[in-house]
Amino acid sequence: MTQTALLLCATHNDLGLIRALKKLGYYIIATGTKIDPLGHNWVDEWILADYSDKEKILSIAKEKNIDVICQCCNDFGIYTASYVAEKIGLPGYDPYETILTLHNKDKFKAFAKEYDIVTPEALYFTSEEEAMRVIPQMKLPIIVKPVDASAGNGIGKVEDAEDIEGAVRHAFENSRASRIVAEPYITGKQYGFCTFLLNKKVVAVASNNEYSFENPYRVEVDTWPADKFEECKDTLISQIEKMAEILNLNDGIFHLQYIYADGKPWIIEVMRRVLGNMYSVLSNPLNGFDWDYWETRAKCGLDCSGFPVNMEQKGFYAYKTVLAQENGIIETIKVPDEYRNFIFDEYWVKKTGDEIINCLNEPIGFLFMMFRNRAEMEDVLITNYRCDLVTMKG
């Protein structure tokens, strides 16, 4: 008898999960407030429901008598999936409180301090008044963040005292939990470090440089593998395995972001979910296996003992997020000729005639590229960065 999987979202970032669920033979019910055209074609049933509403999703899970629940590419998706799994006894997920500890910045900072995880020490606040009493006493520059937002939403760097109030207000406005953190701003290069845990041990790594141009807090270009991988891998793997042991983590993806400064990696974010910007389109060929398939097996509670253990990263890969320079109606989208020799795939979220409301956070498309070496990759995408792929009407 075919089993039923509840997938919490079906946008472009979740297509790999849909393919994996199909490969595993599940009947797929997807939720969300929007759905990618491909996602709509591939799932068996779609229910209009906000996946961040834990009780609503729990009600759907019970009504549909689901067998497994599959998170999506969003922190609120992993919150809900873990919550529902815990409530009705589904496999594959860490306890709900563990997920909150890892994904809520204030809870993670407290955990990191207690167990000596290398991360900038932060102060936490539950009201603007409290924040405004304490933050002016901090040494600048600092960075202020909501505890529960992603994709750079609500983040602000403060270099001058007169900017503190605006940064605090902006962070609170973007926090559903009405909590923020403030921590020292570390100057350095930012990286991603995606691992797969099997029996609490790291058995695969995809590492990448992260570049932000138009929006300083939203990653726009990733390049694989990271140029500081050898310097950082032992420290980061040991830190991840330490957290896995302390928290008794289940199999599956454990991703972190870090800044390399003062000769060491400083962990700034951790997460237990698939990644945005269609990350696996490039991590799959880099490592030689399907990350989404194995993450889906893990979250469905299936045996992962056959995981193709592989710590190697082969090749040079990158994606570029295509963004508009301003809000309005898209008039043209043109990929430069100098990109064409390197593109092996592309995916378009928007098209000509579509409206852009928030140009700093609305991807128009993604270009996936392969290069012969790191120097070529950095020359094309970083040294000769292009921001003129999109023109707007009027």
Side-chain angles (χ1 to χ4, degrees), residues 191-207:
Y191 298 87
F193 197 82
C194 188
T195 71
F196 196 92
L197 287 173
L198 186 62
N199 298 320
K200 304 179 187 62
K201 297 296 182 183
V202 171
V203 292
V205 178
S207 67

Side-chain angles (χ1 to χ4, degrees), residues 112-128:
K113 184 175 182 179
E114 180 177 358
Y115 292 102
D116 196 28
I117 304 300
V118 182
T119 185
E121 190 167 344
L123 299 178
Y124 339 118
F125 304 99
T126 57
S127 71
E128 290 188 34

Side-chain angles (χ1 to χ4, degrees), residues 5 19 35 45 91-92 134 180 187 223 235 249 288 326 331 373 386:
R19 286 194 294 266
I35 189 167
E45 187 177 340
V134 177
I180 69 169
T187 300
T223 62
T235 297
L249 298 181
E326 59 183 336
E331 183 169 43
N373 52 60
R386 296 280 300 264

Side-chain angles (χ1 to χ4, degrees), residues 247-262:
L247 295 170
N248 193 29
L249 298 181
N250 285 331
D251 294 345
I253 285 175
F254 188 108
H255 180 78
L256 60 78
Q257 290 175 296
Y258 69 94
I259 293 175
Y260 187 78
D262 302 323

Side-chain angles (χ1 to χ4, degrees), residues 335-389:
V335 177
D337 291 340
E338 56 264 39
Y339 286 179
R340 285 295 176 193
N341 289 336
F342 307 104
I343 293 173
F344 69 88
D345 202 357
E346 54 193 86
Y347 192 87
W348 296 98
V349 182
K350 303 283 187 179
K351 61 184 183 303
T352 56
D354 285 349
E355 183 178 12
I356 299 298
I357 298 173
N358 184 349
C359 63
L360 293 179
N361 277 307
E362 284 188 68
I364 292 169
F366 302 94
L367 305 176
F368 303 103
M369 305 182 188
M370 181 169 58
F371 297 88
R372 289 168 292 193
N373 52 60
R374 185 182 305 282
E376 181 180 67
M377 178 167 65
E378 293 180 350
D379 181 64
V380 171
L381 288 174
I382 310 305
T383 305
N384 294 294
Y385 170 77
R386 296 280 300 264
C387 61
D388 58 349
L389 279 65

Side-chain angles (χ1 to χ4, degrees), residues 15-17 19-21 23 196 253 280-281 283-285 287-297 307-308:
L15 296 178
L17 298 176
R19 286 194 294 266
L21 288 168
K23 186 175 182 178
F196 196 92
I253 285 175
S280 62
V281 172
S283 61
N284 289 352
N287 295 109
F289 65 86
D290 187 336
W291 282 83
D292 293 307
Y293 173 76
W294 287 99
E295 173 67 355
T296 302
R297 285 191 68 92
F307 183 88

